[in-house]
Amino acid sequence: MKSLNTISTLLLWFALFQFVSNCSSSSGGGSSNSSSPALPYCSTTTSYSNPITITGTARYEFRTNGNGAIGTPNAIRHAEIRVTDSSGSVIQCGETDSLGNFSLSLPNNDSTVTITIASRADNNFLKAYVMNNPTSNAFYGITSSVTLDGSKSIGTMTASATGSVIPGGAFHILDKIMDANDFLRNETANCSATFSDCPEITVAPKVDIFWAKGVNPGSYFNLPPLSFYLPDANQLYILGGTGGDVDNTDTDHFDTSVILHEYAHALENLLSVADSPGGIHNGDNILDPRLAWSEGWSNFFQAAVTGNPVYRDTFGTPLGTNGVYINESLESGTYDTPSQAEEGNFREFSVSRALLDIVDGGAVTAEDDLDADFAEIWTLFAGDSDGFANTNYKYRSLGLFYVLQNALTGKTDWSTIQNAEEQLAARTNYANTLVNGSSCPTSILAEDVPNASPLNNPGRQPEDGSFANSNQFKSNDFYQYDHSGGNLNVSMTYTTTGAGGQAADLDLYIWTDDYAYGNTASDSLVGYSESTISSTANSGSEAVSVQALPAGTYMINIKYDTTNGIKSAGNYSLTINSQSKCPQ
């Protein structure tokens, strides 16, 4: 991935680790378990006789380009307003408007009250709370005191991008989530008239966001510094720095790309179906196609919202040591480029580039001269009949996305972009189905992940028999199997063309539909067979027998065991419950 600064491979890995999802805060920390509920949202408007009117404007500061100079303040839009008396009791509620302005009706009683603009919104424009940590659930606020002795303007209230708390960070996060909701409102308005299954979004479901200056939310879960989304809790965590430091460490509160990327994961969980197993992804690797899809979608979404194809992640500020970890263009960039046909389905940035090319009409390259409607992508992403929100589908990936698009009424032609990104509009290489057959040997030959080298990023080392370094595109075959319940007996026989100690060695695994590839210690591994054959053998076999297996969808995985290196090709045949099965 392109970077504006020269950093070591190790440092780059930690920067790119930020893309981890489903690991997927803020006056100093918290935990994943809430102990104090958030204050009720202030939404009740009180009427007063002979009231006065107090007006003002709310703004927040931010750092340009994520870690640059402080820019001209932006409006705090559609945010909660709380007016409290000297005892702390709420006497009026309100919200800022689309320009950050507000007008409050208050009693004319000469008392002094406090006006607080809170880092929360729960209205028809936005539903999001930005809070300090999941233990205290306290919002951020900027305040102003005013004496109620007549109607007046209190001027501009500004959340600072510096200081001991940096409230501007919280309001910047809130504002970027607002941008995403504005984008969805605009792009999906009346979209069902074009695509009948297109969900029209007025406002996305509420999400809780945790951030604090100098706090790494990964520390709550023994993880390195990163931003992430927890789908089970519907909680988004944004990196605020490390050890109280924001001037020399990785922070994300002003990194728009990162904020919107993580929010895209929330949308996937709330409005679509998130199949991703999570895990490490460094932005330049062959991945589990479910992970490649989820991360590719999130990279794309942030670019679609901002109208800027660049994914940018920064560290530090001008007050310390600052620089850029990631500055990758999804329009003209070439990072994570597929090296051979059909490989693009397994690469997250290839997924991102394809989705952006479909809608941007950029024509940077010949195949990019396409300007499809975002509503077409949204229908496939969130439609509950024609799209991923249909719970009948399993193993969501780019291949399935394209299969659904091919069946969509009113579709546009995406083939030039699919070809340019070496992508396959089918599920042949992942979650393919099996049909009854007689004789249909299938060939498999392991291959190192492109550009693999020792001591490189995890997953980028040469094949060594481990799951971590196994090429899921070339060294594995994956078959979706719908089991009706009862005993399941899967056997594989194979021949190998090797000679002189070059025999291939194949293994057989059966996973549940929510498996994480290689996590053999989890309940997601239903059964496996890893028999080792002689290096001079010309055939081998593996068999898995599971008694009384519940009905459901399972993944049958053929893995080329490269413990002793990449040898010859293997040709395998599968039998399930005594019936020969062939790839569809």
Side-chain angles (χ1 to χ4, degrees):
M1 191 167 297
K2 296 177 181 176
S3 174
L4 297 184
N5 61 315
T6 301
I7 51 179
S8 69
T9 298
L10 182 61
L11 184 58
L12 180 60
W13 180 81
F14 276 110
L16 300 181
F17 190 95
Q18 179 151 219
F19 282 125
V20 176
S21 70
N22 301 356
C23 308
S24 137
S25 298
S26 292
S27 52
S31 70
S32 60
N33 297 316
S34 299
S35 57
S36 299
L39 286 176
Y41 191 79
C42 193
S43 59
T44 302
T45 302
T46 302
S47 297
Y48 293 98
S49 59
N50 300 315
I52 60 173
T53 300
I54 303 297
T55 60
T57 302
R59 299 276 188 267
Y60 74 89
E61 293 180 341
F62 64 98
R63 290 196 176 277
T64 58
N65 297 317
N67 65 344
I70 295 175
T72 302
N74 284 337
I76 298 176
R77 301 175 290 160
H78 302 295
E80 175 188 19
I81 301 176
R82 307 170 70 90
V83 183
T84 53
D85 62 19
S86 58
S87 67
S89 298
V90 175
I91 65 168
Q92 189 58 285
C93 299
E95 290 177 335
T96 59
D97 65 15
S98 62
L99 299 177
N101 299 322
F102 59 86
S103 179
L104 302 166
S105 178
L106 293 166
N108 187 10
N109 58 10
D110 291 327
S111 67
T112 298
V113 298
T114 299
I115 298 173
T116 300
I117 313 297
S119 59
R120 308 194 303 184
D122 192 353
N123 49 51
N124 292 331
F125 300 95
L126 176 64
K127 295 182 181 295
Y129 286 13
V130 180
M131 298 177 287
N132 60 349
N133 60 60
T135 298
S136 58
N137 290 293
F139 59 78
Y140 293 86
I142 51 174
T143 62
S144 179
S145 295
V146 59
T147 300
L148 304 182
D149 55 3
S151 295
K152 66 183 75 174
S153 170
I154 62 172
T156 300
M157 302 167 63
T158 304
S160 175
T162 59
S164 60
V165 179
I166 312 184
F171 285 102
H172 181 261
I173 294 168
L174 189 71
D175 195 48
K176 296 308 103 180
I177 306 303
M178 175 68 75
D179 284 346
N181 276 259
D182 283 345
F183 174 83
L184 289 176
R185 269 188 292 274
N186 292 333
E187 293 295 327
T188 68
N190 300 315
C191 67
S192 60
T194 304
F195 302 102
S196 60
D197 196 36
C198 183
E200 298 174 5
I201 303 301
T202 301
V203 61
K206 179 176 173 290
V207 63
D208 289 335
I209 306 163
F210 299 101
W211 166 83
K213 175 192 175 183
V215 173
N216 163 33
S219 63
Y220 305 158
F221 307 95
N222 297 316
L223 293 171
L226 78 168
S227 295
F228 54 96
Y229 174 73
L230 291 181
D232 290 343
N234 188 28
Q235 294 175 337
L236 197 159
Y237 292 80
I238 299 297
L239 177 62
T242 304
D245 181 17
V246 297
D247 295 323
N248 304 279
T249 65
D250 190 5
T251 63
D252 290 335
H253 42 273
F254 294 130
D255 283 335
T256 298
S257 292
V258 178
I259 295 166
L260 290 174
H261 174 103
E262 297 305 334
Y263 185 61
H265 284 309
L267 295 176
E268 183 181 24
N269 183 54
L270 296 169
L271 297 174
S272 182
V273 174
D275 269 353
S276 173
I280 294 173
H281 53 106
N282 61 18
D284 189 15
N285 200 1
I286 289 176
L287 302 175
D288 182 316
R290 298 168 298 169
L291 179 60
W293 161 257
S294 182
E295 300 305 325
W297 149 260
S298 295
N299 297 337
F300 153 73
F301 183 76
Q302 64 83 29
V305 171
T306 62
N308 181 358
V310 174
Y311 191 104
R312 182 178 174 87
D313 180 21
T314 69
F315 66 91
T317 74
L319 301 177
T321 302
N322 67 334
V324 179
Y325 284 134
I326 306 167
N327 198 64
E328 174 70 5
S329 173
L330 302 182
E331 186 67 77
S332 58
T334 58
Y335 207 76
D336 203 30
T337 301
S339 61
Q340 54 191 303
E342 304 178 5
E343 185 185 302
N345 297 47
F346 291 73
R347 289 187 174 276
E348 69 167 285
F349 267 72
S350 179
V351 173
S352 303
R353 282 192 300 271
L355 294 175
L356 189 60
D357 285 347
I358 286 167
V359 300
D360 67 0
V364 172
T365 55
E367 72 278 351
D368 189 25
D369 193 12
L370 175 64
D371 189 13
D373 195 335
F374 175 83
E376 186 170 359
I377 288 179
W378 186 250
T379 300
L380 300 169
F381 176 80
D384 59 11
S385 178
D386 299 332
F388 276 9
N390 185 331
T391 56
N392 290 323
Y393 297 124
K394 303 290 184 181
Y395 308 116
R396 290 163 181 80
S397 67
L398 185 66
L400 176 59
F401 189 77
Y402 286 155
V403 168
L404 297 180
Q405 195 264 345
N406 281 336
L408 188 65
T409 301
K411 68 180 180 181
T412 52
D413 184 0
W414 295 352
S415 59
T416 55
I417 289 172
Q418 293 163 348
N419 294 335
E421 284 294 337
E422 302 286 7
Q423 294 171 350
L424 182 66
R427 307 183 81 185
T428 304
N429 297 316
Y430 184 75
N432 196 8
T433 53
L434 296 165
V435 296
N436 293 341
S438 54
S439 178
C440 49
T442 302
S443 179
I444 185 171
L445 176 61
E447 184 176 301
D448 285 328
V449 170
N451 302 315
S453 62
L455 304 180
N456 205 333
N457 297 331
R460 292 286 301 281
Q461 299 180 41
E463 284 273 0
D464 57 6
S466 68
F467 283 98
N469 295 318
S470 184
N471 184 331
Q472 293 192 57
F473 171 48
K474 300 296 286 188
S475 305
N476 295 262
D477 286 341
F478 298 93
Y479 300 104
Q480 174 177 321
Y481 181 71
D482 293 321
H483 180 54
S484 59
N487 298 341
L488 178 64
N489 300 293
V490 181
S491 62
M492 173 179 66
T493 59
Y494 64 96
T495 59
T496 174
T497 59
Q502 295 297 310
D505 186 6
L506 306 186
D507 294 330
L508 172 64
Y509 301 87
I510 302 175
W511 308 93
T512 60
D513 65 352
D514 60 349
Y515 77 98
Y517 179 75
N519 188 3
T520 57
S522 75
D523 292 338
S524 65
L525 181 61
V526 174
Y528 66 96
S529 179
E530 298 175 329
S531 299
T532 302
I533 65 170
S534 167
S535 62
T536 59
N538 58 17
S539 65
S541 64
E542 307 284 351
V544 175
S545 180
V546 184
Q547 304 301 305
L549 183 66
T553 301
Y554 297 88
M555 184 67 84
I556 297 174
N557 172 203
I558 312 301
K559 177 177 178 289
Y560 192 121
D561 186 349
T562 57
T563 300
N564 297 317
I566 298 174
K567 305 298 183 180
S568 65
N571 291 283
Y572 64 85
S573 297
L574 288 172
T575 299
I576 300 178
N577 289 345
S578 301
Q579 172 64 58
S580 178
K581 295 288 185 177
C582 299
Q584 187 166 6

